[in-house]
Short mmCIF file of all heavy atoms in Angstrom, two decimals:
data_model
loop_
_atom_site.label_atom_id
_atom_site.label_comp_id
_atom_site.label_asym_id
_atom_site.label_seq_id
_atom_site.Cartn_x
_atom_site.Cartn_y
_atom_site.Cartn_z
N PHE B 209 -81.82 -98.22 -114.74
CA PHE B 209 -80.59 -97.88 -114.05
C PHE B 209 -79.68 -99.10 -113.91
O PHE B 209 -78.46 -99.00 -113.99
CB PHE B 209 -80.90 -97.29 -112.67
CG PHE B 209 -81.41 -95.88 -112.71
CD1 PHE B 209 -82.42 -95.47 -111.86
CD2 PHE B 209 -80.91 -94.96 -113.61
CE1 PHE B 209 -82.91 -94.17 -111.88
CE2 PHE B 209 -81.39 -93.66 -113.65
CZ PHE B 209 -82.38 -93.27 -112.78
N ALA B 210 -80.29 -100.27 -113.66
CA ALA B 210 -79.51 -101.50 -113.54
C ALA B 210 -78.77 -101.81 -114.84
O ALA B 210 -77.60 -102.20 -114.83
CB ALA B 210 -80.42 -102.67 -113.16
N THR B 211 -79.46 -101.63 -115.96
CA THR B 211 -78.82 -101.84 -117.25
C THR B 211 -77.66 -100.88 -117.46
O THR B 211 -76.60 -101.25 -117.97
CB THR B 211 -79.85 -101.66 -118.38
OG1 THR B 211 -80.91 -102.60 -118.20
CG2 THR B 211 -79.22 -101.87 -119.74
N THR B 212 -77.84 -99.64 -117.03
CA THR B 212 -76.78 -98.64 -117.15
C THR B 212 -75.56 -99.03 -116.33
O THR B 212 -74.42 -98.93 -116.80
CB THR B 212 -77.30 -97.26 -116.69
OG1 THR B 212 -78.44 -96.91 -117.46
CG2 THR B 212 -76.23 -96.20 -116.86
N VAL B 213 -75.80 -99.52 -115.12
CA VAL B 213 -74.71 -99.87 -114.22
C VAL B 213 -73.94 -101.10 -114.71
O VAL B 213 -72.70 -101.10 -114.77
CB VAL B 213 -75.25 -100.11 -112.80
CG1 VAL B 213 -74.21 -100.79 -111.91
CG2 VAL B 213 -75.69 -98.78 -112.19
N GLU B 214 -74.67 -102.14 -115.07
CA GLU B 214 -74.01 -103.41 -115.37
C GLU B 214 -73.49 -103.52 -116.79
O GLU B 214 -72.64 -104.37 -117.07
CB GLU B 214 -74.94 -104.58 -115.07
CG GLU B 214 -76.10 -104.73 -116.04
CD GLU B 214 -77.03 -105.86 -115.68
OE1 GLU B 214 -77.17 -106.16 -114.48
OE2 GLU B 214 -77.62 -106.44 -116.60
N SER B 215 -73.99 -102.68 -117.71
CA SER B 215 -73.63 -102.90 -119.12
C SER B 215 -73.14 -101.67 -119.87
O SER B 215 -72.46 -101.81 -120.87
CB SER B 215 -74.84 -103.46 -119.88
OG SER B 215 -75.31 -104.64 -119.29
N LEU B 216 -73.47 -100.47 -119.40
CA LEU B 216 -73.21 -99.29 -120.22
C LEU B 216 -72.01 -98.47 -119.75
O LEU B 216 -71.19 -98.05 -120.58
CB LEU B 216 -74.46 -98.40 -120.24
CG LEU B 216 -74.43 -97.16 -121.12
CD1 LEU B 216 -74.18 -97.54 -122.57
CD2 LEU B 216 -75.72 -96.37 -121.00
N LEU B 217 -71.89 -98.24 -118.46
CA LEU B 217 -70.89 -97.30 -117.97
C LEU B 217 -69.46 -97.77 -118.22
O LEU B 217 -68.59 -96.97 -118.60
CB LEU B 217 -71.11 -97.05 -116.47
CG LEU B 217 -72.39 -96.31 -116.09
CD1 LEU B 217 -72.47 -96.13 -114.58
CD2 LEU B 217 -72.45 -94.96 -116.78
N ILE B 218 -69.19 -99.05 -117.99
CA ILE B 218 -67.82 -99.55 -118.16
C ILE B 218 -67.35 -99.45 -119.61
O ILE B 218 -66.24 -98.96 -119.87
CB ILE B 218 -67.70 -100.98 -117.61
CG1 ILE B 218 -67.84 -100.97 -116.08
CG2 ILE B 218 -66.35 -101.60 -118.00
CD1 ILE B 218 -67.78 -102.35 -115.44
N PRO B 219 -68.13 -99.90 -120.61
CA PRO B 219 -67.66 -99.74 -122.00
C PRO B 219 -67.45 -98.29 -122.41
O PRO B 219 -66.48 -97.98 -123.13
CB PRO B 219 -68.79 -100.38 -122.82
CG PRO B 219 -69.44 -101.33 -121.90
CD PRO B 219 -69.37 -100.69 -120.56
N VAL B 220 -68.33 -97.37 -121.97
CA VAL B 220 -68.16 -95.96 -122.31
C VAL B 220 -66.86 -95.43 -121.71
O VAL B 220 -66.07 -94.74 -122.39
CB VAL B 220 -69.37 -95.15 -121.81
CG1 VAL B 220 -69.11 -93.65 -121.94
CG2 VAL B 220 -70.62 -95.52 -122.59
N SER B 221 -66.63 -95.72 -120.43
CA SER B 221 -65.40 -95.28 -119.78
C SER B 221 -64.17 -95.89 -120.45
O SER B 221 -63.15 -95.20 -120.65
CB SER B 221 -65.44 -95.66 -118.29
OG SER B 221 -64.22 -95.33 -117.66
N MET B 222 -64.26 -97.15 -120.82
CA MET B 222 -63.12 -97.82 -121.48
C MET B 222 -62.80 -97.17 -122.82
O MET B 222 -61.63 -96.96 -123.17
CB MET B 222 -63.43 -99.30 -121.66
CG MET B 222 -63.34 -100.11 -120.39
SD MET B 222 -61.64 -100.28 -119.81
CE MET B 222 -60.93 -101.32 -121.08
N LEU B 223 -63.83 -96.86 -123.60
CA LEU B 223 -63.59 -96.23 -124.90
C LEU B 223 -62.91 -94.88 -124.76
O LEU B 223 -62.01 -94.54 -125.53
CB LEU B 223 -64.91 -96.09 -125.66
CG LEU B 223 -65.44 -97.35 -126.34
CD1 LEU B 223 -66.85 -97.13 -126.87
CD2 LEU B 223 -64.51 -97.77 -127.48
N LEU B 224 -63.34 -94.11 -123.77
CA LEU B 224 -62.71 -92.81 -123.54
C LEU B 224 -61.23 -92.97 -123.17
O LEU B 224 -60.36 -92.26 -123.71
CB LEU B 224 -63.45 -92.06 -122.43
CG LEU B 224 -64.87 -91.58 -122.78
CD1 LEU B 224 -65.54 -90.98 -121.54
CD2 LEU B 224 -64.83 -90.56 -123.91
N GLN B 225 -60.95 -93.91 -122.28
CA GLN B 225 -59.57 -94.09 -121.85
C GLN B 225 -58.69 -94.70 -122.95
O GLN B 225 -57.52 -94.33 -123.10
CB GLN B 225 -59.53 -94.98 -120.61
CG GLN B 225 -60.16 -94.33 -119.38
CD GLN B 225 -60.07 -95.21 -118.15
OE1 GLN B 225 -59.01 -95.31 -117.54
NE2 GLN B 225 -61.17 -95.86 -117.80
N ILE B 226 -59.25 -95.62 -123.73
CA ILE B 226 -58.49 -96.21 -124.84
C ILE B 226 -58.15 -95.14 -125.87
O ILE B 226 -57.04 -95.12 -126.43
CB ILE B 226 -59.29 -97.36 -125.47
CG1 ILE B 226 -59.32 -98.56 -124.52
CG2 ILE B 226 -58.66 -97.78 -126.80
CD1 ILE B 226 -60.22 -99.69 -124.99
N SER B 227 -59.09 -94.23 -126.12
CA SER B 227 -58.82 -93.13 -127.06
C SER B 227 -57.67 -92.26 -126.57
O SER B 227 -56.79 -91.88 -127.35
CB SER B 227 -60.08 -92.28 -127.25
OG SER B 227 -61.15 -93.06 -127.75
N ILE B 228 -57.68 -91.95 -125.29
CA ILE B 228 -56.59 -91.14 -124.73
C ILE B 228 -55.26 -91.87 -124.82
O ILE B 228 -54.23 -91.29 -125.23
CB ILE B 228 -56.91 -90.77 -123.27
CG1 ILE B 228 -58.14 -89.86 -123.20
CG2 ILE B 228 -55.72 -90.07 -122.61
CD1 ILE B 228 -58.64 -89.59 -121.80
N LEU B 229 -55.25 -93.16 -124.46
CA LEU B 229 -54.02 -93.95 -124.53
C LEU B 229 -53.49 -94.04 -125.95
O LEU B 229 -52.26 -94.03 -126.18
CB LEU B 229 -54.28 -95.35 -123.97
CG LEU B 229 -54.53 -95.45 -122.46
CD1 LEU B 229 -54.96 -96.86 -122.08
CD2 LEU B 229 -53.28 -95.05 -121.67
N TYR B 230 -54.39 -94.13 -126.91
CA TYR B 230 -53.97 -94.22 -128.31
C TYR B 230 -53.30 -92.93 -128.78
O TYR B 230 -52.24 -92.96 -129.44
CB TYR B 230 -55.17 -94.55 -129.19
CG TYR B 230 -54.86 -94.59 -130.66
CD1 TYR B 230 -54.16 -95.65 -131.22
CD2 TYR B 230 -55.25 -93.54 -131.49
CE1 TYR B 230 -53.87 -95.68 -132.58
CE2 TYR B 230 -54.96 -93.56 -132.85
CZ TYR B 230 -54.27 -94.64 -133.39
OH TYR B 230 -53.98 -94.65 -134.73
N PHE B 231 -53.90 -91.80 -128.43
CA PHE B 231 -53.37 -90.52 -128.91
C PHE B 231 -52.06 -90.14 -128.21
O PHE B 231 -51.26 -89.40 -128.78
CB PHE B 231 -54.41 -89.42 -128.73
CG PHE B 231 -55.50 -89.47 -129.75
CD1 PHE B 231 -56.81 -89.76 -129.39
CD2 PHE B 231 -55.23 -89.24 -131.10
CE1 PHE B 231 -57.82 -89.82 -130.34
CE2 PHE B 231 -56.23 -89.29 -132.06
CZ PHE B 231 -57.53 -89.58 -131.67
N ILE B 232 -51.83 -90.64 -127.00
CA ILE B 232 -50.55 -90.35 -126.33
C ILE B 232 -49.56 -91.49 -126.53
O ILE B 232 -48.52 -91.54 -125.88
CB ILE B 232 -50.77 -90.08 -124.83
CG1 ILE B 232 -51.31 -91.32 -124.11
CG2 ILE B 232 -51.68 -88.90 -124.61
CD1 ILE B 232 -51.46 -91.15 -122.60
N ASN B 233 -49.92 -92.43 -127.44
CA ASN B 233 -49.03 -93.53 -127.82
C ASN B 233 -48.64 -94.42 -126.63
O ASN B 233 -47.48 -94.81 -126.48
CB ASN B 233 -47.77 -92.98 -128.49
CG ASN B 233 -47.06 -94.03 -129.32
OD1 ASN B 233 -47.68 -95.00 -129.80
ND2 ASN B 233 -45.76 -93.88 -129.50
N MET B 234 -49.61 -94.74 -125.77
CA MET B 234 -49.36 -95.61 -124.63
C MET B 234 -50.34 -96.78 -124.58
O MET B 234 -50.58 -97.37 -123.53
CB MET B 234 -49.46 -94.81 -123.32
CG MET B 234 -48.38 -93.76 -123.12
SD MET B 234 -48.53 -92.89 -121.54
CE MET B 234 -48.32 -94.24 -120.38
N LEU B 235 -50.90 -97.12 -125.73
CA LEU B 235 -51.90 -98.19 -125.77
C LEU B 235 -51.23 -99.55 -125.84
O LEU B 235 -50.52 -99.87 -126.80
CB LEU B 235 -52.82 -98.00 -126.99
CG LEU B 235 -53.99 -98.98 -127.09
CD1 LEU B 235 -54.93 -98.83 -125.90
CD2 LEU B 235 -54.75 -98.77 -128.39
N ASN B 236 -51.41 -100.34 -124.80
CA ASN B 236 -50.95 -101.73 -124.75
C ASN B 236 -51.85 -102.50 -123.80
O ASN B 236 -52.73 -101.93 -123.15
CB ASN B 236 -49.47 -101.82 -124.33
CG ASN B 236 -49.19 -101.10 -123.03
OD1 ASN B 236 -49.87 -101.32 -122.02
ND2 ASN B 236 -48.21 -100.20 -123.04
N ALA B 237 -51.65 -103.81 -123.74
CA ALA B 237 -52.52 -104.67 -122.93
C ALA B 237 -52.48 -104.29 -121.45
O ALA B 237 -53.50 -104.30 -120.76
CB ALA B 237 -52.14 -106.13 -123.12
N ASN B 238 -51.29 -103.93 -120.96
CA ASN B 238 -51.15 -103.59 -119.56
C ASN B 238 -51.94 -102.33 -119.20
O ASN B 238 -52.67 -102.28 -118.20
CB ASN B 238 -49.67 -103.39 -119.23
CG ASN B 238 -49.43 -103.19 -117.75
OD1 ASN B 238 -49.89 -103.98 -116.93
ND2 ASN B 238 -48.72 -102.13 -117.41
N ASN B 239 -51.84 -101.29 -120.03
CA ASN B 239 -52.57 -100.05 -119.77
C ASN B 239 -54.08 -100.21 -119.96
O ASN B 239 -54.87 -99.52 -119.30
CB ASN B 239 -52.04 -98.93 -120.66
CG ASN B 239 -50.65 -98.47 -120.24
OD1 ASN B 239 -50.27 -98.62 -119.09
ND2 ASN B 239 -49.90 -97.91 -121.17
N VAL B 240 -54.50 -101.10 -120.86
CA VAL B 240 -55.92 -101.38 -121.01
C VAL B 240 -56.47 -102.03 -119.73
O VAL B 240 -57.59 -101.73 -119.30
CB VAL B 240 -56.17 -102.28 -122.24
CG1 VAL B 240 -57.61 -102.80 -122.25
CG2 VAL B 240 -55.89 -101.50 -123.52
N ALA B 241 -55.68 -102.90 -119.11
CA ALA B 241 -56.09 -103.52 -117.85
C ALA B 241 -56.22 -102.48 -116.75
O ALA B 241 -57.15 -102.53 -115.93
CB ALA B 241 -55.09 -104.60 -117.44
N ILE B 242 -55.30 -101.50 -116.72
CA ILE B 242 -55.40 -100.42 -115.74
C ILE B 242 -56.66 -99.59 -115.99
O ILE B 242 -57.37 -99.20 -115.05
CB ILE B 242 -54.14 -99.52 -115.80
CG1 ILE B 242 -52.90 -100.33 -115.40
CG2 ILE B 242 -54.29 -98.31 -114.89
CD1 ILE B 242 -51.59 -99.58 -115.56
N ALA B 243 -56.93 -99.33 -117.26
CA ALA B 243 -58.14 -98.57 -117.61
C ALA B 243 -59.40 -99.30 -117.16
O ALA B 243 -60.38 -98.68 -116.72
CB ALA B 243 -58.17 -98.32 -119.12
N PHE B 244 -59.38 -100.62 -117.25
CA PHE B 244 -60.54 -101.40 -116.81
C PHE B 244 -60.73 -101.28 -115.30
O PHE B 244 -61.87 -101.16 -114.82
CB PHE B 244 -60.37 -102.86 -117.20
CG PHE B 244 -61.55 -103.72 -116.90
CD1 PHE B 244 -62.68 -103.68 -117.69
CD2 PHE B 244 -61.55 -104.58 -115.80
CE1 PHE B 244 -63.79 -104.46 -117.41
CE2 PHE B 244 -62.64 -105.36 -115.50
CZ PHE B 244 -63.77 -105.31 -116.31
N LEU B 245 -59.66 -101.29 -114.55
CA LEU B 245 -59.74 -101.11 -113.10
C LEU B 245 -60.34 -99.75 -112.75
O LEU B 245 -61.21 -99.63 -111.87
CB LEU B 245 -58.36 -101.27 -112.47
CG LEU B 245 -58.23 -100.96 -110.97
CD1 LEU B 245 -59.14 -101.86 -110.14
CD2 LEU B 245 -56.78 -101.10 -110.52
#
């Protein structure tokens, strides 16, 4: 569970959000930072 929390969940969530931002043509550094938050 520790491995899941510290290493897995954030990259999975980021990939999902980056995919959405790309398809709605809003992918930039600022929105990636928001997705990380």
Side-chain angles (χ1 to χ4, degrees):
F209 285 141
T211 300
T212 303
V213 167
E214 71 182 31
S215 303
L216 184 59
L217 293 180
I218 291 178
V220 170
S221 176
M222 285 290 292
L223 281 172
L224 291 174
Q225 293 182 77
I226 289 173
S227 300
I228 295 172
L229 291 172
Y230 176 75
F231 284 114
I232 64 177
N233 200 25
M234 293 182 62
L235 185 62
N236 54 52
N238 187 51
N239 288 336
V240 169
I242 296 174
F244 185 77
L245 173 59

